[in-house]
Amino acid sequence: MGIYTVSQLNDHIKRLLCQDPMLNQVWVRGEISNLTKHSSGHYYFTLKDKGSQISCVSFRSTNRSLKFEPESTMKVLIFGSLDV
């Protein structure tokens, strides 16, 4: 067992996530919380359910084509990919 730097650990996690075809295009159901609509046009939020949560970002290029305005407490089904 070695000692990793933070960068080395993040690089390893990134390789694992990005090489898994099941995680490159995934649907996830949850509730939006901690929504921040940044001046850049990006949305930063937490997607949560009763047992867990993940940090998310939706980029401006995607947000322009949304057919609804995301709000905290909104239940959503989202499509995306995982990255570190």
Side-chain angles (χ1 to χ4, degrees), residues 2-84:
I3 298 173
Y4 297 94
T5 65
V6 173
S7 296
Q8 289 171 324
L9 183 58
N10 275 334
D11 287 345
H12 184 72
I13 292 168
K14 181 179 180 72
R15 276 193 304 279
L16 291 174
L17 287 176
C18 293
Q19 290 175 1
D20 186 333
M22 288 182 59
L23 300 178
N24 285 329
Q25 296 184 349
V26 62
W27 288 95
V28 182
R29 181 186 331 254
E31 178 182 313
I32 296 174
S33 67
N34 303 318
L35 177 64
T36 300
K37 297 177 181 179
H38 196 272
S39 60
S40 65
H42 304 328
Y43 297 161
Y44 299 92
F45 58 97
T46 301
L47 191 65
K48 66 179 187 174
D49 62 19
K50 290 180 183 178
S52 197
Q53 62 186 28
I54 55 174
S55 297
C56 302
V57 61
S58 181
F59 296 108
R60 178 181 58 192
S61 57
T62 299
N63 298 341
R64 282 188 246 162
S65 62
L66 289 178
K67 297 183 182 358
F68 67 96
E69 188 68 28
E71 298 293 336
S72 286
T73 72
M74 186 178 279
K75 307 260 192 290
V76 293
L77 178 62
I78 61 173
F79 181 78
S81 60
L82 295 167
D83 204 342
V84 172

